[in-house]
Amino acid sequence: MKRLAALLVLCSCAYTYAQTQVATGTRSYVEFLASDKLEGREAGSQGERLAADYLASQLTRIGARPLPGRTDMFMPFDFTAGSRDGGSSIRIGGEDPARARTFSARTEIQALSFSDDAEVSGPVVFAGYGLVVPESQNFGYDSYATLDVKDKIVLVLRYFPEDADQQTRAVLARYSDLRYKAMAARQRGAKALLVVTGPRSPNAGELVPMSFDTAIAGSGIPAASITGSIADALFPADMPLREVQQALDSGNPHVTGVALQNVTASLKTIVTRQRQTARNVLAYLPATTSIDSVSQPWVVVGAHYDHLGHGDKGNSLAAGTDAGGIHHGADDNASGTAAVLSIAETLARQPRRRHVLLAFWSAEEIGLIGSNAFTTAPPVPLGSVAAYLNYDMVGRMQDNRLIVQATGTSPVWGRVLERANVAAGFDLVAQPDPYQPTDVATFNQAGIASLAFFTGSHADYHKPSDLPERINFEDLDRIAAMGAAVVRAISDAEQPPQFTKVDQPVSRGSVAGLRVTTGTIPDYATEVKGLLLGGVTGGGPAEQAGLMKGDVIVEIAGQSIANIYDYTYALELLRVNQPVTVVYLRNGERRDTSLTPAARR
Ligand SMILES: [Zn+2]
Ligand SMILES: [Zn+2]
């Protein structure tokens, strides 16, 4: 993360909004898209359809056209909107049929969202935590080392050993994702995977929630979670699960599993995946001169227009009475959508050597599905795309600071941005990393030079309170004006930007594997040593510990924190309900507090 030329920062006061030529539309776009009528624009919903219709009508008004060979601006695609259990059950018993019991209530057994639909029977083998860590990681760990699980039903504990030393836990945490455990069991010939949350783990005995999972099909193995009491019934009285887990947790980390004597089970898993259709909205402003001699004659400018609806799919951060309300998504991402429309309005009045494709993605919030549908079945050849610009959350500018991500994807970006910023005068924060949780990642993956514009996260992120009245429209208009200048520069350049591959940071932890939450909202925009808090979740552990926006965490549980990656790594080592010391800076003064992590569901 490097700020571009300090000189440009000095320029910022000399140029004002009045000097830039912008359309004045961002406010009306945001106010419509974030209105109650659109109900949070959840992919596949009526609100999303209304938003798409609105975008098409605005694009038509601006003078954009359907893509070549198309008669309208819609690109429909199917996606999995969620999964629920369709009637899974388990029958357990030993040699004695009189002792067999069947469990089928949703409070007792539930398929994992990536499960195959199947009916299987066989002996049950307990495989500890079901962890397999490749030898390449300093040490090997294989729950299956001495077990034969072929054609058997494997029972494993969720998460990873509780009492291992911190370094070991850090490695194990990365391999404890349930999909990974399912894959390990399947590769060893297991018929099915059962998961129980051990009595010594967070969320002890509870079922694994059927997470919102966008997988189209199963993972190749039936998999279900069962309650602690069903698991208890599988273990003999002289070897209860609690003691077995204790041995696994505190003993040699290489302890493996055990076959459960005379225990057989019949498992039936049924996952109902709800398929829905969403629509990308695509249009273009044709080049105003012949493209015959222009190499890579397309520039794509995009923003996702979908949001969380009522926030009931697991990615809402609303708590208490806010939960279930309309998630208006004014900043995320009516702001970016408005910016792209405004850019189009400006460009429509100017000459250009390349076609400008205007893209509005749906289903971004559930896994970048719309942009992936585009690059998977591209309506224009990807090889003809010179560059991609992304706008996601650009409505909350503070202190004139504009974050530009993915700048590592081309050596030309520094110069292009500097030039475009002469008139705009932003304090630019360049971040080379293109592996961002927004559609820019899709285009980087496709080998296209990309940029993503962002004004930072905030306390209303993914909450109903992300409202139009909190948008900074004056700066949003300036961002759109600068965007038009960047597109114009790419469009008019002789040579398209050269693509540079950026290595993915290896130290980034898998968020999916995190079991604890500290209730902190990082500020990704500002460069400080440590973790700067953009806010804290209401009622969360950080708030209870007295932390607040502006504090900089420099140490947690004895681990020094230099950046967000260190912090993510450190989180993996924390345990639910075990207080740790947090050292932080407030107004430059070093302080400490005790924070008690909570379980993340
Ligand atoms: Zn977004
Ligand atoms: Zn979002």
Side-chain angles (χ1 to χ4, degrees):
M1 297 184 205
K2 279 202 177 63
R3 277 167 195 263
L4 295 175
L7 174 70
L8 298 178
V9 175
L10 298 174
C11 294
S12 61
C13 313
Y15 292 86
T16 65
Y17 169 62
Q19 285 174 286
T20 59
Q21 289 189 328
V22 292
T24 52
T26 58
R27 179 185 288 271
S28 63
Y29 298 143
V30 170
E31 286 180 346
F32 179 80
L33 291 165
S35 64
D36 281 0
K37 189 181 174 194
L38 269 57
E39 287 193 270
R41 311 182 304 280
E42 184 177 0
S45 72
Q46 173 67 8
E48 181 239 32
R49 285 188 285 279
L50 286 174
D53 291 346
Y54 171 80
L55 292 172
S57 72
Q58 292 302 318
L59 287 163
T60 303
R61 180 185 60 77
I62 289 165
R65 302 181 193 166
L67 296 184
R70 312 287 287 235
T71 54
D72 65 29
M73 296 178 178
F74 303 115
M75 178 195 178
F77 58 91
D78 287 350
F79 67 104
T80 303
S83 53
R84 56 187 175 80
D85 194 288
S88 299
S89 63
I90 188 168
R91 183 173 181 276
I92 60 171
E95 314 267 89
D96 178 6
R99 290 185 54 209
R101 295 166 67 191
T102 299
F103 303 90
S104 59
R106 287 293 71 78
T107 50
E108 296 172 321
I109 175 169
Q110 192 164 264
L112 298 183
S113 48
F114 52 77
S115 173
D116 268 13
D117 288 355
E119 242 184 298
V120 296
S121 300
V124 180
V125 176
F126 176 67
Y129 281 94
L131 282 166
V132 179
V133 179
E135 290 292 343
S136 58
Q137 308 289 320
N138 301 324
F139 69 97
Y141 184 109
D142 186 352
S143 295
Y144 296 94
T146 59
L147 277 184
D148 176 15
V149 299
K150 187 155 170 40
D151 294 328
K152 292 172 184 156
I153 295 173
V154 174
L155 170 67
V156 301
L157 289 161
R158 191 176 172 190
Y159 305 129
F160 54 85
E162 291 297 313
D163 302 332
D165 65 77
Q166 292 213 326
Q167 210 186 344
T168 305
R169 291 162 60 85
V171 176
L172 296 178
R174 293 176 199 283
Y175 294 90
S176 65
D177 188 86
L178 289 175
R179 271 185 175 273
Y180 192 78
K181 290 188 182 184
M183 186 186 74
R186 192 193 69 218
Q187 285 172 345
R188 283 159 185 77
K191 268 185 173 170
L193 180 75
L194 293 174
V195 177
V196 60
T197 313
R200 303 186 74 243
S201 299
N203 305 312
E206 289 180 27
L207 295 179
V208 178
M210 277 187 92
S211 67
F212 180 69
D213 195 306
T214 52
I216 294 165
S219 54
I221 185 168
S225 72
I226 55 175
T227 56
S229 53
I230 300 180
D232 284 341
L234 293 168
F235 283 81
D238 59 347
M239 193 180 75
L241 176 58
R242 173 175 289 277
E243 280 175 28
V244 174
Q245 188 184 15
Q246 170 93 53
L248 285 165
D249 285 356
S250 54
N252 182 334
H254 298 81
V255 166
T256 58
V258 286
L260 298 169
Q261 293 301 314
N262 302 324
V263 177
T264 59
S266 300
L267 174 71
K268 183 164 89 173
T269 48
I270 305 172
V271 177
T272 308
R273 293 186 173 83
Q274 295 143 305
R275 297 291 289 169
Q276 283 186 1
T277 301
R279 296 187 297 179
N280 292 331
V281 182
L282 307 171
Y284 82 122
L285 296 167
T288 53
T289 52
S290 166
I291 58 157
D292 286 352
S293 59
V294 178
S295 77
Q296 294 175 265
W298 288 88
V299 181
V300 182
V301 188
H304 77 86
Y305 73 94
D306 69 305
H307 194 52
L308 308 180
H310 285 262
D312 48 11
K313 292 280 169 59
N315 42 10
S316 165
L317 294 175
T321 52
D322 261 3
I326 295 174
H327 287 53
H328 297 87
D331 187 34
D332 186 13
N333 184 28
S335 68
T337 306
V340 175
L341 284 171
S342 177
I343 289 168
E345 281 187 283
T346 304
L347 294 175
R349 299 191 299 260
Q350 299 175 346
R352 59 197 160 268
R353 293 186 67 216
R354 288 182 167 83
H355 303 315
V356 177
L357 196 162
L358 306 156
F360 299 94
W361 315 116
S362 189
E364 186 271 354
E365 295 285 11
I366 50 176
L368 317 183
I369 297 175
S371 56
N372 271 288
F374 178 93
T375 56
T376 304
V380 303
L382 293 182
S384 70
V385 176
Y388 174 68
L389 265 58
N390 191 72
Y391 288 83
D392 192 356
M393 298 175 64
V394 286
R396 295 287 196 103
M397 177 168 280
Q398 284 188 0
D399 306 328
N400 200 40
R401 198 178 56 197
L402 180 61
I403 303 151
V404 191
Q405 300 168 320
T407 53
T409 59
S410 176
V412 307
W413 288 144
R415 187 168 40 84
V416 168
L417 289 167
E418 263 184 56
R419 283 199 188 155
N421 197 39
V422 169
F426 290 116
D427 296 343
L428 293 184
V429 181
Q431 299 180 345
D433 186 356
Y435 299 93
Q436 305 293 341
T438 181
D439 297 300
V440 78
T442 309
F443 281 81
N444 172 63
Q445 203 66 41
I448 294 167
S450 303
L451 289 173
F453 295 84
F454 177 45
T455 51
S457 199
H458 45 78
D460 300 312
Y461 174 70
H462 280 199
K463 290 180 184 168
S465 54
D466 181 3
L467 289 161
E469 48 265 42
R470 300 187 184 175
I471 296 296
N472 176 345
F473 288 108
E474 189 174 318
D475 285 332
L476 177 54
D477 285 341
R478 293 174 61 218
I479 290 166
M482 184 216 182
V486 173
V487 178
R488 181 90 192 267
I490 303 164
S491 147
D492 290 351
E494 197 65 41
Q495 291 299 321
Q498 179 198 333
F499 174 72
T500 308
K501 191 172 174 359
V502 178
D503 288 333
Q504 190 155 12
V506 286
S507 58
R508 178 176 290 178
S510 149
V511 174
L514 288 182
R515 311 168 311 147
V516 304
T517 176
T518 54
T520 49
I521 301 169
D523 176 339
Y524 293 98
T526 314
E527 287 176 84
V528 295
K529 196 168 183 319
L531 181 86
L532 174 63
L533 298 185
V536 292
T537 348
E543 188 181 81
Q544 284 169 18
L547 292 167
M548 54 194 232
K549 178 178 160 71
D551 289 344
V552 180
I553 296 178
V554 293
E555 197 182 285
I556 186 164
Q559 306 268 310
S560 73
I561 308 295
N563 53 47
I564 180 76
Y565 303 126
D566 288 354
Y567 189 69
T568 310
Y569 185 78
L571 278 188
E572 290 179 356
L573 310 177
L574 303 185
R575 286 182 232 176
V576 173
N577 296 333
Q578 288 205 6
V580 291
T581 300
V582 174
V583 181
Y584 63 102
L585 305 175
R586 179 172 294 171
N587 302 323
E589 185 192 329
R590 198 176 165 93
R591 303 182 177 201
D592 61 57
T593 180
S594 173
L595 180 148
T596 307
R600 176 192 290 271
R601 286 195 51 111

